[in-house]
Amino acid sequence: MPASSRPKDLVYDPTDPSVMADPFPVYARLREEDPVHWSPSLKSWIVTRYTDVRDLLLSDTLSVNRLLQFYQSLPPADALLLKDIVRYLNLWLAFRDPPDHTRVRRIMRHAFTADAIAEMRPRIEDISDLLLDRLAAAGTKDVDLIKEYALQLPAFVIMDLLDVPRDMLDDFKDWSDDMAVFIGGARNSEDKYERAARGCRNMSTYFRKLIEERTAHPKPGFLMDLINARDEGDKLSDDELVATCILVLFAGHETTTNLIGNATLLLLRNPDELSKLRADPDLIDTTIEEVLRFDGPTNALVRVVAKDHDFHGRKLREGERVFVMVNSANRDPQMFDDADSFDITRKQNRHLTFGQGIHLCLGAKLAREEGRIAIRKLFDRFPDLALDAENPPEWLDAMVPRGTRRLPVKLEG
Ligand code: HEM
């Protein structure tokens, strides 16, 4: 690695609590001093400038398929344990390169239609009202907004979308927490592979049965559209259908929780912006876009180098890992005026939070709708909502997602 040309005191340590709370100062230095940075501790490249992040996401020099290499490096006992989870994850759109990706995405687009998303709007409103009613009825002033609202809202939305009864929430939460120890975003634990395998087994068994039942007894909705989706006669195989349901659950859940959490935190920390939103509720669209840019749920995206190539004078070698730092790109002053100020009226806002290129998020419309409804209703219902001054937010100890694990708030003044 070109360590000699690396500024010696420039270390990016995502596990440092001060970096977790505010990674933006180190991103600014990386963009300025070492935009294609080799991190010896992460054994990965860290790319931080807007144009580089965008160009890399658009290029075919990087691959999303990082599972195979990892799987092949495992001791046989672990590989056996993870056989099933890897079988499904290998079928995830998010981990496939063209031409497989092109084929599956073409089919999936028939289910992710504007109509399917529009149909979800009244349900999002209902879910938001239901959760806020519960909060108001509980009569407690101090709550963790993540646990009581931001986590449940997107979970219920995705469960409704996939036709999973809402009383399955606790099971789904357990299974997805189990799987998350493998997929990333959660802390490591000793029995992480056992947990991941168990979570995947439970989740895939559930979806396989549900798909069989829906196929036998059709019922209109997104799941049925997914089962029926055809592109030039081609359709998803049974395993691809199960894998896709698990992907949609994962892709659409924690990300949106973090959007709602980060939006609440930013508005409470920026009372002038909150006042502007209160004075003009139509600003909710640009508010959500600004949250997505300023401190959005996509901290980084992960890729592996598909073939050796030079990038800004650095030699990227096949198989090396690259963290494409979306949240840093979104603060690049070369791209955004006054990039470090949170401005809910910002007009030019081409943030990269939903990705770029062939893997661009399929659920962006739904996520935006959820964010707008969740925030509008929350601040309408609890006009005196405030941060709990004695209990600061706790940030996720993770490099890819960006959000708070706990967000203690006071519902009333
Ligand atoms: C604020 C919430 C969300 C954010 C920030 C977000 C972000 C992203 C990003 C950055 C990607 C690209 C990943 C990559 O290039 O490696 C992606 C892909 C994807 N997202 Fe989202 N997402 C959100 C919500 C959702 C929702 C609600 C759904 C589903 C209902 C969803 C479904 C997907 C799917 C299926 C993909 C894979 C697309 C592909 O690989 O072609 N996302 N998302």
Side-chain angles (χ1 to χ4, degrees):
M1 287 328 115
S4 55
S5 55
R6 186 160 48 88
K8 293 225 161 25
D9 67 328
L10 183 49
V11 176
Y12 169 54
D13 176 6
T15 62
D16 175 338
S18 67
V19 172
M20 263 183 240
D22 182 10
F24 296 100
V26 71
Y27 292 166
R29 280 199 66 195
L30 286 163
R31 282 193 308 269
E32 194 60 34
E33 298 172 37
D34 197 20
V36 183
H37 172 81
W38 175 258
S39 161
S41 56
L42 296 166
K43 296 192 187 66
S44 305
W45 295 100
I46 310 289
V47 178
T48 43
R49 285 188 184 160
Y50 185 95
T51 46
D52 293 341
V53 165
R54 187 196 56 202
D55 292 353
L56 283 181
L57 292 177
L58 290 170
S59 106
D60 62 0
T61 54
L62 301 187
S63 158
V64 291
N65 188 348
R66 49 197 179 272
L67 280 171
L68 195 65
Q69 198 184 350
F70 162 78
Y71 189 64
Q72 283 168 350
S73 72
L74 287 172
D78 287 344
L80 188 67
L81 209 53
L82 292 175
K83 204 167 122 241
D84 258 2
I85 190 164
V86 169
R87 170 174 140 225
Y88 285 114
L89 296 189
N90 266 325
L91 296 175
W92 274 20
L93 198 57
F95 292 153
R96 293 175 106 173
D97 292 322
D100 294 342
H101 174 268
T102 322
R103 179 191 146 255
V104 174
R105 181 146 173 143
R106 272 208 199 118
I107 301 173
M108 274 175 72
R109 288 183 70 91
H110 293 280
F112 276 89
T113 59
D115 282 355
I117 307 306
E119 274 167 27
M120 291 306 289
R121 195 170 304 136
R123 298 211 197 189
I124 305 170
E125 306 244 358
D126 285 352
I127 292 168
S128 175
D129 286 338
L130 174 92
L131 296 172
L132 292 170
D133 285 349
R134 266 192 215 162
L135 271 178
T140 25
K141 251 174 52 174
D142 302 302
V143 296
D144 170 9
L145 195 88
I146 299 297
K147 182 161 174 257
E148 305 299 340
Y149 188 60
L151 200 139
Q152 297 190 42
L153 189 147
F156 282 148
V157 171
I158 289 289
M159 289 169 75
D160 275 17
L161 190 76
L162 291 171
D163 217 357
V164 175
R166 288 191 195 160
D167 61 11
M168 293 288 294
L169 180 69
D170 288 344
D171 288 318
F172 263 73
K173 175 102 192 60
D174 287 349
W175 303 343
S176 62
D177 284 352
D178 284 345
M179 281 184 76
V181 294
F182 178 72
I183 294 169
R187 279 172 186 278
N188 283 348
S189 63
E190 273 196 358
D191 60 345
K192 64 178 179 178
Y193 293 158
E194 281 88 350
R195 276 187 67 188
R198 190 173 61 222
C200 180
R201 198 167 45 247
N202 284 326
M203 189 89 90
S204 55
T205 307
Y206 182 85
F207 277 123
R208 198 169 287 280
K209 271 202 201 119
L210 184 65
I211 290 163
E212 274 167 20
E213 196 183 301
R214 273 298 152 271
T215 310
H217 307 284
K219 181 175 150 199
F222 175 84
L223 181 64
M224 206 58 233
D225 291 346
L226 207 56
I227 296 170
N228 287 330
R230 298 278 187 289
D231 192 77
E232 294 177 1
D234 191 12
K235 65 186 198 97
L236 299 180
S237 68
D238 288 352
D239 269 6
E240 281 174 337
L241 267 174
V242 172
T244 299
C245 288
I246 303 177
L247 166 65
V248 169
L249 187 93
F250 262 90
H253 179 190
E254 189 186 9
T255 45
T256 318
T257 295
N258 291 336
L259 169 60
I260 298 169
N262 296 5
T264 308
L265 180 61
L266 282 170
L267 287 167
L268 292 175
R269 280 185 170 168
N270 292 274
D272 291 349
E273 297 305 295
L274 180 56
S275 302
K276 281 189 216 164
L277 178 61
R278 286 211 162 105
D280 180 3
D282 288 347
L283 286 176
I284 190 68
D285 290 12
T286 47
T287 300
I288 293 300
E289 292 315 300
E290 181 64 345
V291 171
L292 287 163
R293 181 196 74 87
F294 189 83
D295 202 351
T298 316
N299 189 47
L301 295 173
V302 192
R303 298 290 190 264
V304 288
V305 179
K307 44 192 166 199
D308 290 4
H309 67 286
D310 280 2
F311 191 65
H312 292 300
R314 300 295 162 107
K315 291 215 171 316
L316 274 56
R317 296 189 201 287
E318 188 178 332
E320 284 176 342
R321 189 164 53 172
V322 183
F323 284 103
V324 182
M325 307 303 288
V326 170
N327 273 2
S328 166
N330 287 341
R331 293 280 195 106
D332 190 335
Q334 301 293 326
M335 181 63 193
F336 300 97
D337 293 337
D338 212 0
D340 282 328
S341 74
F342 177 64
D343 173 5
I344 66 161
T345 64
R346 190 179 289 276
K347 303 249 157 20
Q348 295 290 324
N349 196 346
R350 303 187 64 180
H351 63 73
L352 299 174
T353 309
F354 289 114
Q356 191 72 193
I358 59 170
H359 290 280
L360 192 72
C361 177
L362 273 171
K365 266 205 184 99
L366 179 62
R368 287 182 159 117
E369 197 72 85
E370 288 182 63
R372 289 176 202 138
I373 294 173
I375 292 301
R376 184 170 48 74
K377 284 188 177 281
L378 173 68
F379 282 93
D380 279 355
R381 178 68 73 97
F382 296 108
D384 296 327
L385 187 75
L387 291 173
D388 179 344
E390 276 149 42
N391 292 299
E394 290 172 22
W395 289 94
L396 288 170
D397 178 4
M399 190 157 164
V400 173
R402 168 81 180 154
T404 51
R405 238 166 356 114
R406 289 189 72 238
L407 181 54
V409 293
K410 293 195 175 290
L411 295 177
E412 289 154 29

